[in-house]
Amino acid sequence: MPRCSFFNHMDSKRPYSIAVHGGAGTILREAMNAELEQHYSEALTLAIHCGEAILNNGGKAVDAVEAAVATLEDSELFNAGKGAVFTNDGTHELDASIMDGHHRRAGAVAGVKHIQNPVKLCRHIMEHSGHVFMLGSGAEQFALEQGFGLVENSFFSTEFRREQWLKLKDTDVTALDHSAHHLRKFGTVGAVAYDRNGNLAAATSTGGITNKRYGRVGDSAIIGAGTYAENGICAVSATGYGEFFIRGVAAYEVAALIKHAKLSLQQACNEIIFEAIPKLGGDGGLIAINNKGEIYMPFNTKGMYRAAKRENEELQLGIYEDK
C-alpha cells in the first residue's frame, strides 16, 4: 500500500494550505521513544504555525515557506542549518532553494558554510540578484553585501552528528541521513504553501550526506529536482536519495504530469514516488500542494517527518508509515 497522507478540501474561497517535511527514510517506531516523538512533533508544529501565521494574515505563500523552513533550519533535530551532518573533512556544507510560483522566480545556494539560514539567502538571491544559483564563497560574498552576518562553521555542529561522522571519516563510505546506517533519522527539510490569492511556493534545505566529499550537491539546491513551484499547477519539496531525484527531475516531473498529462496531484506524485524514482534505484518522498490547495505527502520509505494544515482544519502530523 502507498505510504502517504492526503488531505482534500474544496472551497471557492481559496483557503490557505501549508505542509512541511523533515526528511523521509528508515524511521522506525521501535527506534524512537515518547520524548523524541514529542520533540519532532513540536518542531514540525512550530514550523507549520510560523508559516500559517503569515498565510492567516493574508501573506504570500513564498513568505510562509521561507519562515517554515528557517524554523526547521534552527532546530537541531534535522539535517539542515543547526544540526547539519559533517563532510569528510569535518565541516558542514549547506544547500537550499526556494521558488515562488508567481512568474516562477527562484533562488538557490550550494556549499555555503557560514550562513545560519540558507533559505533566507536563497530568497535574497531570487529577489536581489539577476541570478538563480550561487555557490560557496561567492554566495557568501553576496550575503555580506546583502547585510547578512556570517557564523562560524562550528555553529552547525552537534555531538550526535559528530558521532555519525566519526564512524565513517576514515572510509570512503557516505551515509544518507535516512539510510539504514542511522536508525534515528533527522533529514532534509522543506515546505510548500498555497495562499489566499492562489499563489504557490516551495522551499527545501539540507546539510547533505554524512562524510560527503568533492563538493557533492544533492537535489535540495536544484530547481526542478528537489524544489519546484508553478502557479496554477503545484508546489513540490522532495526528500530522499538526491542523486536519483536529480536524474528523475522529480519535482518538475510532478508538475509536468499534472500540466501535460492531466493527472491529479495524487496520481502525479504516486507516479514519481512509487514508479519513476524506484525504477532508477532511489527512494524518498515529497510534499506537494496543487492549485486547489489540496495536499499530498507520499513516501516509499519506512517513514517521513511531515505535517500539514489547511485553513479552518486541524493540524495533521505524521512520522511513520502508519502515521
Side-chain angles (χ1 to χ4, degrees), residues 65-78:
V65 297
E66 179 187 5
V69 168
T71 299
L72 294 170
E73 288 175 337
D74 289 337
S75 171
E76 294 186 8
L77 293 175
F78 304 102

Side-chain angles (χ1 to χ4, degrees), residues 210-234:
T210 301
N211 208 40
K212 69 178 181 178
R213 302 174 67 185
Y214 315 119
R216 179 264 186 188
V217 177
D219 64 309
S220 297
I222 299 177
I223 299 301
T227 303
Y228 189 75
E230 182 176 350
N231 275 12
I233 307 298
C234 67

Side-chain angles (χ1 to χ4, degrees), residues 5 23 28 38 89 151 174 182 242 295 306 317:
S5 302
L28 304 178
Q38 183 65 24
D89 62 5
V151 298
T174 59
H182 300 307
I295 300 170
R306 61 202 187 275
L317 282 169

Side-chain angles (χ1 to χ4, degrees), residues 2-8 19-20 265-266 269-270 274 286-288 294-299 304-308 316-323:
R3 294 182 282 276
C4 53
S5 302
F6 185 55
F7 308 109
N8 183 350
V20 300
L265 179 71
Q266 185 172 3
C269 291
N270 284 348
F274 300 112
L286 60 80
I287 56 174
E294 297 170 346
I295 300 170
Y296 194 50
M297 304 192 292
F299 53 98
M304 182 171 75
Y305 299 109
R306 61 202 187 275
Q316 306 289 329
L317 282 169
I319 297 177
Y320 313 107
E321 55 189 297
D322 59 350
K323 299 291 282 187

Side-chain angles (χ1 to χ4, degrees), residues 12-68:
S12 61
K13 295 181 181 179
R14 286 181 171 173
Y16 63 73
S17 305
I18 184 168
V20 300
H21 72 75
T26 311
I27 305 169
L28 304 178
R29 195 181 298 275
E30 57 266 31
M32 301 277 278
N33 58 49
E35 183 179 4
L36 282 173
E37 284 188 7
Q38 183 65 24
H39 288 325
Y40 305 148
S41 295
E42 289 174 352
L44 293 168
T45 300
L46 178 60
I48 286 283
H49 286 171
C50 287
E52 184 185 18
I54 292 168
L55 297 172
N56 191 49
N57 287 326
K60 297 178 181 179
V62 69
D63 294 324
V65 297
E66 179 187 5

Side-chain angles (χ1 to χ4, degrees), residues 244 247 271-283 300:
F244 296 97
R247 289 165 55 191
E271 172 64 26
I272 299 306
I273 294 302
F274 300 112
E275 299 293 335
I277 295 299
K279 284 180 180 177
L280 291 174
D283 61 1
N300 59 27

